[in-house]
Amino acid sequence: MLTVAALAPLVLPASAAEPEPQLRGETFMQLPGAATPALSALQTPKARSALASESRQIDDVRTALETVGPAASFAPKTSTLAATSSASSGEALAAAMAITYPAPSRAMSLDKCKRKMAGDAKVYIKSRFAVCTGLKVTTVRQRSSGAIGTSTFTVYVRGTVPKESDRTMHFDYDVVDFTQIGTTGAAALKIGIKPKIPQDWPAAAKPTQSGNLPVTKAWQELRLINPAHFKHTVRYAPGQGTGAGAADVVFAVYQPEITSTLPPGWVGESPKTGKPFMIAPRWDAAKYLNNSTGGGNPVNKGSAAFSYLATLNYSSKQAAVERGVALHIQKAFTNPGATKPPNALKKVPGQNAKTPLHRSVPRRKATQGQPRPRRHQLP
């Protein structure tokens, strides 16, 4: 009798099984206050294309409209003003019996930075001694069937000059607002933060830098640190600057790089590098500054500030202690020909960033005041 063995089911080894659909990752750079499209919307190439266009716009325009000095030409400027502090309350000033305008702030909290960078804000100028910027990084995880998850994180950078008598500029970095929707694999993403000074004037000037940057850590690792906070300081010693007469000025561009690296096995551009809006610092050791001698220590003479047009907010409300000044400025802006001396062709600067006021060193010496470039904003 002929016996035929039954055929057993064919079982393929694991290596020969249907391959896992290839995972792709697309990383996009956004403004800190920008909304991330819903996962359902990201199923379409159109939504992802819009995110890519947003990233390119951030790359193309990186300089605040108020930037002055050589850094103003480093990259294209915005067409809109930066976020600034709200007008100070005239009533509050009166209640405090204030008789002089408050000194510019030299501090910046993370909460204040985040609130001012909401919406479409690109940079927040609190004063010439306190500014902030930031960058939101969004990664879209995809299979051939479409997007299956998104993850985000945001890096805020706050620059401050805490002391007039110290040339050290401080930069605080905070990595916050970690989010993930759907299947993301975000835990294994690598985040890198590297402070950079891509250009300074004069080019021969050399800064002293310190802090706990650069850093590279996994998305999940940074998320669990809470808060993920890093510091970087920059200082140019006096004597390295250029300028006519008593000036001794160093200008620079400060622009960190934020990188996001896809996990192993993912397909897509990696690492993806983004740059927040640049910050424009300067160091000045002119003899007419308050700290012109460094308190007897030449290495500390002069100070630091950010090269932005400063804004003073004057109130014309009845209870405001600065009401008289506000009304005078308002008249000069709206009817310059009626101010003294009369001149129908008179134009008063200070109304906008394109026609700012300028300090006059000879007048400063004569009055012993400390004029500052500024724009006036009236309620």
Side-chain angles (χ1 to χ4, degrees):
M1 177 183 293
L2 180 63
T3 303
V4 179
L7 292 176
L10 179 63
V11 179
L12 295 177
S15 60
E18 182 72 20
E20 176 74 11
Q22 196 170 49
L23 292 173
R24 290 191 59 84
E26 284 189 274
T27 302
F28 306 94
M29 305 300 167
Q30 298 182 271
L31 295 175
T36 302
L39 186 57
S40 57
L42 289 170
Q43 301 295 333
T44 65
K46 182 178 179 181
R48 297 194 297 274
S49 177
L51 270 179
S53 176
E54 185 178 338
S55 289
R56 287 192 296 271
Q57 289 177 17
I58 294 176
D59 286 340
D60 292 342
V61 182
R62 290 180 175 162
T63 306
L65 181 62
E66 295 89 339
T67 309
V68 295
S73 59
F74 177 74
K77 284 186 175 183
T78 62
S79 58
T80 57
L81 296 172
T84 57
S85 292
S86 301
S88 56
S89 169
E91 291 84 350
L93 289 173
M97 300 301 290
I99 58 174
T100 59
Y101 208 80
S105 177
R106 291 180 175 270
M108 171 94 67
S109 68
L110 173 59
D111 180 65
K112 182 82 167 187
C113 175
K114 291 179 69 174
R115 285 188 284 114
K116 289 294 185 177
M117 291 296 294
D120 60 355
K122 303 171 180 64
V123 63
Y124 165 45
I125 303 174
K126 187 177 183 182
S127 74
R128 290 175 295 112
F129 309 111
V131 301
C132 83
T133 185
L135 194 69
K136 181 178 182 179
V137 182
T138 298
T139 300
V140 180
R141 191 185 196 195
Q142 304 170 62
R143 286 199 174 103
S144 56
S145 57
I148 60 173
T150 62
S151 62
T152 69
F153 66 90
T154 305
V155 180
Y156 289 97
V157 185
R158 292 172 286 146
T160 58
V161 184
K163 298 179 180 179
E164 182 180 28
S165 59
D166 189 347
R167 295 175 64 91
T168 304
M169 192 167 281
H170 295 248
F171 294 93
D172 289 85
Y173 290 71
D174 295 274
V175 192
V176 297
D177 300 337
F178 293 84
T179 67
Q180 53 182 331
I181 298 173
T183 305
T184 67
L189 285 171
K190 289 288 187 181
I191 298 173
I193 303 174
K194 183 178 182 179
K196 293 200 72 175
I197 303 174
Q199 191 166 348
D200 51 19
W201 297 267
K206 300 299 180 185
T208 299
Q209 305 178 62
S210 64
N212 55 354
L213 289 174
V215 65
T216 301
K217 291 183 180 293
W219 189 93
Q220 181 72 353
E221 185 180 0
L222 281 174
R223 186 181 74 85
L224 294 176
I225 292 177
N226 192 26
H229 179 78
F230 304 94
K231 293 188 71 69
H232 183 233
T233 64
V234 183
R235 173 190 175 95
Y236 283 81
Q240 301 187 80
T242 59
D248 177 8
V249 188
V250 174
F251 294 91
V253 170
Y254 187 91
Q255 188 172 53
E257 292 183 350
I258 313 299
T259 59
S260 180
T261 303
L262 298 173
W266 287 38
V267 176
E269 182 182 354
S270 183
K272 184 66 176 287
T273 300
K275 299 177 182 180
F277 258 58
M278 55 157 276
I279 296 176
R282 77 172 184 263
W283 288 260
D284 197 334
K287 294 181 180 179
Y288 52 78
L289 296 177
N290 286 345
N291 190 44
S292 60
T293 66
N297 187 353
V299 299
N300 289 330
K301 68 179 182 179
S303 190
F306 297 103
S307 295
Y308 299 117
L309 295 172
T311 300
L312 290 180
N313 297 286
Y314 289 112
S315 174
S316 58
K317 293 181 179 179
Q318 192 68 39
V321 294
E322 74 273 20
R323 184 171 187 268
V325 175
L327 292 174
H328 180 74
I329 295 171
Q330 189 175 49
K331 180 180 179 181
F333 283 169
T334 58
N335 190 12
T339 60
K340 304 294 184 180
N343 185 337
L345 301 178
K346 186 186 300 181
K347 294 182 179 179
V348 179
Q351 295 189 60
N352 54 61
K354 294 183 179 179
T355 57
L357 296 178
H358 295 277
R359 70 181 176 184
S360 172
V361 174
R363 180 171 176 78
R364 191 270 173 205
K365 290 181 178 178
T367 61
Q368 295 186 350
Q370 189 169 349
R372 302 180 177 96
R374 56 176 67 102
R375 288 182 289 110
H376 298 286
Q377 291 182 342
L378 302 177

